[in-house]
Amino acid sequence: MSFFTRKLNGKLNKNLNSNPMNNTATLLPVNTFVLARKNAWLLWLCQCLNIATIALELGTWMLAIITLSLTWQAFLLHRSFERPNSKKLAERRTKHAKNKQNGPVSPFVLATFAIAGCLTIVITAPQHGLLISMVHLLCFSYVLKAFELKARSDFYQLILLGIFVLASALIFKQDLAFSAMVVSLLLLNFVVLLQYFSSNNVFFANLKIIGILMTQSVLLAVVLFIVFPRLSPFWQIPIAKSAETGLSDTVKPGDIAKLTRSSKLAFRVSFEQQSPPVYSQLYWRAMVLEDYDGRQWTKRFKRDNNKPSQLYIEANKAGVKPITYQVLAEPSFQKYLFALAPANLSEAFNGSIIPQSDYTFLSSSVISQTKAYHLTSYLGAPIGVTLDDDSKALNLAYPKNSNPRLEQLALQLSHNYSEPLQRAQAVLNLINEENYAYTLEPPLLKNNSLDQFFFDTQSGFCVHYASAFTFLMRASGIPARMVTGYLGGEYNEKSATDNNKAQGHLSIYQYDAHAWSEIWIQGKGWLRIDPTSAVDPERVNSGWSDDLLQQQSALINELFSRSLFKNSDFLNALRLQFDALDYQWTKWVVGFSTKQQYDLLTAWFGNVKSWKVALIIVITLIISMTAVLFIFNWLNRADKKQHRQNLADKIYAKALLTLAGLGIDKPPAMTVNDFAKQIREKQPMLAISFTRLSNSYSNLCYQNVSEEDKALLTITMQQQYQQFVKNIKSHK
Amino acid sequence: MPHTSPLSDQVQASQATISEILQKIESVVLGKPKECRLALACLLAQGHLLIEDLPGMGKTTLAHVLATTLGLSYQRTQFTNDLLPADVVGFSIFNNQANTFELHKGPIFNQVVLADEINRASPKTQSALLEAMAEHQVSIDGVTHELPTPFFVIATQNPLFHAGTYPLPESQLDRFMMRLSLGFPDIKAEKNILLNDAQRTNQTNKGNTFDPVVDQQTLITMQAAVTQISVSNDVIDYILALSHMSRQNYIADDAKLGTRHNISEDIVCKPLSPRASKSLLQAAKAMAFINNRDYVLPDDVQAVFYVVCQHRLEVQPSQNISLSQLEASSVANQILNSVDVLNPLSYQ
């Protein structure tokens, strides 16, 4: 604040003196807006970076248009700042000036450009959805606005648009690293703004000022973040029609292998009371796929009448130790959630999460931001002990003659092994003993033929094995189904608090995606069988083998591949530390929901009615704002003194301006009293009022008076100024 | 503005005395009220005074009346080119009977030393005054002797282009708080001088000298009051801006002053020392005191700026033209005119 008042003050003084040595920018007519060369390029750089944060979400066409206009802008900047070091250039410039007098950009070209951009937005709108179209519009106007920086207000608008672009980038991504980047870019945007006003043109000095201001505002932001009511229509992040990530509700052989190239975070789990179960128990079920059409497995969306009753699980969990945990699901823009089956949902999430009859959980809305939920699992408890006829028929169905050789094998198996479990074990033995290979690069199969995989190529990924196994089971008369989800996870104890060692968290990445099968056996319910364990036991027991990691790093060409991390303890420790930080960020900042806010406030103020909570929030807000106000007031005591002085300065300066309007100028070197004397001689009718004003001002400036008297004097001065103005008006 | 403090009471109380002193001085030095006030201000600010003018302009009269009205012991020393330092300071002489060295104190052991035509003495003798003026003490044969309090040197000098003059060393010029120039009196004043002179000759014959208006103690109290006059930040800034302006040619990157004010480049001046700034402040305080205020206004600074700073600034010996003409063209006034009173340090 003091900065602005000082600025204003400086301006007044400049007006008073009208010294030609003044800053040239302010001497130009009001309507011409000129940025210094350095600042213009800084603004351009800032624009590029702002757009870069959101570039991944933009459509190809829009991105092309934006790149084009930014390049054009750079070209214009370069041309307008080039030095006339040769005659040729000077000639060209005069020619140019003659040709175009409207400014550097021809309005015609600009209009064509605008129309092209708008058309692109309109045409691609159905494909991208409302949110992305609006983001397109925002970015496009942001880039286009830079061509018409004619007045200072245009500059303000441009900076504001840039901040909007940054804010909208946060819709799509909210992890710690990205948020930190956005904040630092915000800093840059503000510095660009300050560069224009600041008297010193030093970038780092201004960066420091902005840094200090932003740090000061953090306190307020934190208070508001915690107590400000999250009113749902305003606090929801708009749902983007963004690319879905993760599993899909259809799976064919070869699908999940592609997913394993991504090291994107899928979800995180923190166990509340105990350390996590062993790796081979961590089968995070996401979807159960029951429809098989000979090529791919599809999730059946049927009307779910028979939900698994909580009581039913209760009855079957005897002797099983419950495990409670919290899941923080990253935005996948899908609905499925993750659980270790069988699981009970914490009651708080009734409504927002729907348990399914196949012991999976669906979110009631698309997961567009981090979603947190609590579960209690009973590992080892049987699921689905009874199976109705419809389901049985569905889980035995397969298109006849789709894979004749497998059918043949199934027939043979059912002949040799009467017991279903023996039959399953026989298949696993077969896979184990024969020369099957587990690979991220499975050979392509013609028509997704399982026959071809099982008998010819004999190398594949989890889906291949799970598909073939499930098919064999169905063909041999055992109800079987395909389950997709994630296996394992990386345990990170760096997030653990000191007093509770168990409170680390598991991070599950996309490359942990997995598929397995479940067979139904009378009296035992659905049993999980993972054929992958037969071909690559390490994958199931402890995670990826070195071979797989090398395959992966060869496939994805990333700078920091996982095998690199695995081989360097230091890098891995660093990565885990960052992961822990990001986990806390997700848990406490991104995932801070209305419910958490409510819980926090209840923890502070006890269990009260919601209107009371609202009241408490409002009161807290008022109290904290007042406190902040007082603190700042206290910190700015000197500034306040300065402010009073400035007010007096302003009043006197206004009086001087008024007199200058009458043609009476005060020479800068003349003292206040001398000038008053001069007015008495030259303008007797103004003598009394102006002398009073001058005396007050002189006393205020130079006399040794107490702060209270100064405040009084300032008020007196205001009154005297009004009288002075009246006096002038009456004598005109 | 209702405002009373012990200091302001004291200032008020001293007004009667001050106006009495001024009246007395002005009754002797006719037609020069401004110079009289400045001279009094110089003594109240405990500064030494240099009076430069043509012979016969009343320099000695001013010095004389100042010393007597303030009730101070006073001795006049005529400086000539063969004057030796011992003649000013004093010397030790061997007493045959007592078999000891006896100190013969020089004229400097008075409260007011009138160094008449100081620039006719050799630089060596002039320098003898240096220690006395700065430290209020002298050393004779290795023994340091304290000088009486209050202690003033009032020096007079002829303009430098006069025959047989040595320029004062700059170090010594800097030790004079003010340099006054009386200038010719106007016709009316001169007529009064002529008329009064006849009376005065008669009176002097009767042995009538000036009576002191105040005693030493009152003078010391007033001097103490002057040092306590309050100075606002704005005035300090103003003084700083003024002295920085004179240093522009010496501190190449005095970036703090900004580019707003520049005295024109063809003006050559010596830079003002911090001692000069101190003297300026002190003189301004005394001026405020004389003007019945317990705080300093920029007007006070402006009133004393020329006399305090011109002799420290100027490089060429000045042409002896009238004071008002001089002021209009001097370096000091150029500097004064190039600083904005309301916003002295524009870099802030």
Side-chain angles (χ1 to χ4, degrees), chain A residues 337-372:
Chain A
L337 295 168
F338 318 97
L340 299 170
N344 268 350
L345 188 66
S346 165
E347 280 177 16
F349 300 98
N350 278 345
S352 69
I353 294 175
I354 308 151
Q356 303 291 304
S357 63
D358 54 16
Y359 297 90
T360 59
F361 295 91
L362 274 187
S363 165
S364 58
S365 59
V366 163
I367 305 165
S368 60
Q369 48 182 309
T370 307
K371 188 172 181 78

Coordinates of all heavy atoms in Angstrom, one line a residue, chain A residues 337-372:
Chain A
L337 N -14.0 -47.0 -8.4 CA -13.1 -46.8 -7.3 C -12.3 -48.1 -6.9 O -12.6 -49.1 -7.5 CB -13.9 -46.3 -6.1 CG -14.5 -44.9 -6.3 CD1 -15.5 -44.6 -5.2 CD2 -13.5 -43.8 -6.4
F338 N -11.5 -48.0 -6.0 CA -10.6 -49.1 -5.7 C -10.8 -49.6 -4.3 O -11.0 -48.9 -3.3 CB -9.1 -48.7 -5.9 CG -8.9 -47.8 -7.0 CD1 -8.9 -46.4 -6.9 CD2 -8.8 -48.4 -8.3 CE1 -8.8 -45.6 -8.0 CE2 -8.6 -47.6 -9.4 CZ -8.6 -46.2 -9.3
A339 N -10.8 -50.9 -4.1 CA -10.9 -51.5 -2.8 C -10.3 -52.9 -2.8 O -10.2 -53.6 -3.8 CB -12.4 -51.6 -2.5
L340 N -9.9 -53.3 -1.6 CA -9.5 -54.7 -1.3 C -10.8 -55.4 -0.9 O -11.4 -55.1 0.1 CB -8.5 -54.8 -0.2 CG -7.2 -54.0 -0.4 CD1 -6.3 -54.0 0.8 CD2 -6.4 -54.7 -1.6
A341 N -11.2 -56.5 -1.6 CA -12.5 -57.1 -1.4 C -12.3 -58.1 -0.3 O -11.3 -58.8 -0.2 CB -13.0 -57.7 -2.7
P342 N -13.3 -58.4 0.5 CA -14.6 -57.6 0.6 C -14.4 -56.4 1.5 O -13.6 -56.5 2.4 CB -15.6 -58.6 1.2 CG -14.7 -59.5 2.0 CD -13.4 -59.6 1.3
A343 N -15.1 -55.4 1.2 CA -14.9 -54.1 2.0 C -16.2 -53.5 2.4 O -17.2 -53.6 1.7 CB -14.0 -53.2 1.2
N344 N -16.2 -52.9 3.5 CA -17.3 -52.1 4.0 C -17.0 -50.6 3.8 O -15.9 -50.2 4.1 CB -17.6 -52.3 5.5 CG -18.6 -53.4 5.6 OD1 -19.2 -53.8 4.6 ND2 -18.8 -53.8 6.9
L345 N -18.0 -49.8 3.4 CA -17.7 -48.4 3.2 C -18.1 -47.7 4.5 O -19.1 -48.0 5.1 CB -18.6 -47.9 2.0 CG -18.4 -46.5 1.5 CD1 -17.0 -46.4 0.9 CD2 -19.5 -46.2 0.5
S346 N -17.3 -46.7 4.8 CA -17.6 -45.9 6.0 C -18.9 -45.2 5.7 O -19.2 -44.7 4.6 CB -16.5 -44.9 6.2 OG -16.9 -43.9 7.1
E347 N -19.8 -45.1 6.7 CA -21.1 -44.6 6.5 C -21.2 -43.2 5.9 O -22.1 -42.7 5.3 CB -21.9 -44.7 7.8 CG -22.4 -46.1 8.0 CD -23.1 -46.2 9.3 OE1 -23.5 -45.1 9.9 OE2 -23.3 -47.3 9.8
A348 N -20.1 -42.4 6.2 CA -20.1 -41.0 5.8 C -20.2 -40.8 4.3 O -20.6 -39.8 3.8 CB -18.9 -40.3 6.3
F349 N -19.9 -41.9 3.6 CA -19.9 -41.7 2.1 C -21.1 -42.3 1.4 O -21.2 -42.4 0.2 CB -18.6 -42.4 1.5 CG -17.4 -41.8 2.1 CD1 -16.7 -42.4 3.2 CD2 -16.9 -40.6 1.6 CE1 -15.6 -41.8 3.7 CE2 -15.8 -40.0 2.2 CZ -15.1 -40.6 3.2
N350 N -22.1 -42.6 2.2 CA -23.4 -43.1 1.6 C -23.9 -42.1 0.7 O -24.0 -40.9 1.0 CB -24.4 -43.4 2.7 CG -24.2 -44.8 3.3 OD1 -23.4 -45.6 2.7 ND2 -24.7 -45.1 4.5
G351 N -24.2 -42.5 -0.5 CA -24.8 -41.5 -1.5 C -23.8 -41.1 -2.5 O -24.0 -41.1 -3.7
S352 N -22.6 -40.7 -2.0 CA -21.6 -40.3 -3.0 C -20.9 -41.5 -3.6 O -20.3 -41.4 -4.7 CB -20.6 -39.3 -2.4 OG -19.8 -40.0 -1.5
I353 N -20.9 -42.6 -2.9 CA -20.3 -43.8 -3.4 C -21.3 -45.0 -3.3 O -21.9 -45.1 -2.3 CB -19.0 -44.2 -2.6 CG1 -17.9 -43.1 -2.8 CG2 -18.4 -45.5 -3.0 CD1 -16.7 -43.2 -2.0
I354 N -21.4 -45.7 -4.4 CA -22.4 -46.8 -4.4 C -21.7 -48.1 -4.4 O -21.0 -48.4 -5.4 CB -23.3 -46.6 -5.7 CG1 -23.8 -45.2 -5.7 CG2 -24.4 -47.7 -5.7 CD1 -24.1 -44.7 -7.1
P355 N -21.9 -49.0 -3.4 CA -21.3 -50.3 -3.5 C -22.1 -51.2 -4.5 O -23.3 -51.1 -4.7 CB -21.6 -50.8 -2.0 CG -22.0 -49.6 -1.3 CD -22.6 -48.7 -2.2
Q356 N -21.4 -52.0 -5.2 CA -21.9 -52.8 -6.2 C -22.0 -54.3 -5.7 O -21.4 -54.7 -4.8 CB -21.1 -52.8 -7.5 CG -20.9 -51.4 -8.0 CD -22.1 -50.8 -8.6 OE1 -22.7 -51.4 -9.5 NE2 -22.5 -49.7 -8.1
S357 N -22.9 -55.1 -6.4 CA -23.1 -56.4 -6.0 C -21.8 -57.3 -6.2 O -21.6 -58.3 -5.6 CB -24.2 -57.1 -6.7 OG -23.9 -57.1 -8.1
D358 N -20.9 -56.8 -7.1 CA -19.7 -57.6 -7.3 C -18.6 -57.1 -6.4 O -17.4 -57.3 -6.7 CB -19.3 -57.5 -8.8 CG -19.2 -56.1 -9.3 OD1 -19.2 -55.2 -8.5 OD2 -19.2 -55.9 -10.5
Y359 N -18.9 -56.4 -5.3 CA -18.0 -56.0 -4.3 C -17.0 -54.9 -4.8 O -15.9 -54.8 -4.3 CB -17.2 -57.2 -3.7 CG -18.1 -58.1 -3.0 CD1 -18.7 -59.2 -3.7 CD2 -18.4 -57.9 -1.7 CE1 -19.5 -60.1 -3.1 CE2 -19.2 -58.8 -1.0 CZ -19.8 -59.9 -1.7 OH -20.7 -60.7 -1.1
T360 N -17.4 -54.2 -5.9 CA -16.7 -53.1 -6.3 C -17.4 -51.8 -5.9 O -18.6 -51.9 -5.4 CB -16.4 -53.0 -7.8 OG1 -17.7 -53.0 -8.4 CG2 -15.6 -54.2 -8.3
F361 N -16.8 -50.7 -6.0 CA -17.5 -49.4 -5.6 C -17.5 -48.4 -6.8 O -16.5 -48.3 -7.5 CB -16.8 -48.8 -4.4 CG -16.9 -49.6 -3.2 CD1 -15.9 -50.5 -2.9 CD2 -17.9 -49.5 -2.3 CE1 -15.9 -51.3 -1.7 CE2 -18.0 -50.3 -1.2 CZ -17.0 -51.2 -0.9
L362 N -18.6 -47.8 -7.0 CA -18.7 -46.8 -8.0 C -19.0 -45.4 -7.4 O -19.8 -45.3 -6.5 CB -19.8 -47.1 -9.0 CG -19.6 -48.1 -10.1 CD1 -20.8 -48.1 -11.0 CD2 -18.3 -47.7 -10.9
S363 N -18.3 -44.4 -7.9 CA -18.6 -43.1 -7.5 C -19.9 -42.6 -8.2 O -20.2 -43.0 -9.3 CB -17.4 -42.2 -7.9 OG -17.8 -40.8 -7.7
S364 N -20.6 -41.8 -7.5 CA -21.9 -41.4 -8.1 C -21.6 -40.4 -9.2 O -22.5 -40.1 -10.0 CB -22.8 -40.8 -7.0 OG -22.1 -39.7 -6.4
S365 N -20.5 -39.7 -9.2 CA -20.2 -38.8 -10.3 C -18.7 -39.1 -10.7 O -18.0 -39.7 -10.1 CB -20.3 -37.3 -9.8 OG -19.4 -37.1 -8.7
V366 N -18.5 -38.5 -11.9 CA -17.1 -38.7 -12.5 C -16.1 -38.1 -11.6 O -16.3 -37.1 -11.0 CB -17.1 -38.1 -13.9 CG1 -15.6 -37.9 -14.3 CG2 -17.9 -38.9 -14.9
I367 N -15.0 -38.9 -11.4 CA -14.0 -38.4 -10.4 C -13.1 -37.4 -11.2 O -12.2 -37.7 -11.9 CB -13.1 -39.5 -9.9 CG1 -14.0 -40.6 -9.3 CG2 -12.1 -39.0 -8.9 CD1 -13.3 -41.9 -9.1
S368 N -13.4 -36.1 -11.0 CA -12.7 -35.0 -11.7 C -11.7 -34.3 -10.8 O -10.9 -33.5 -11.2 CB -13.6 -34.0 -12.3 OG -14.4 -33.4 -11.3
Q369 N -11.8 -34.6 -9.5 CA -10.8 -34.1 -8.6 C -10.5 -35.2 -7.5 O -11.3 -36.1 -7.4 CB -11.2 -32.8 -7.9 CG -12.6 -32.8 -7.4 CD -13.0 -31.5 -6.8 OE1 -12.3 -31.0 -6.0 NE2 -14.2 -31.0 -7.2
T370 N -9.4 -35.0 -6.8 CA -9.0 -36.0 -5.9 C -10.2 -36.4 -5.0 O -10.8 -35.6 -4.4 CB -7.9 -35.5 -5.0 OG1 -6.9 -35.1 -5.9 CG2 -7.3 -36.6 -4.2
K371 N -10.4 -37.7 -4.9 CA -11.6 -38.2 -4.1 C -11.1 -39.0 -2.9 O -10.3 -39.9 -3.2 CB -12.5 -39.0 -5.0 CG -13.8 -39.3 -4.3 CD -14.8 -39.9 -5.3 CE -16.1 -40.3 -4.6 NZ -17.0 -39.1 -4.4
A372 N -11.5 -38.7 -1.7 CA -11.0 -39.4 -0.6 C -12.2 -40.2 0.0 O -13.3 -39.8 0.1 CB -10.5 -38.5 0.5

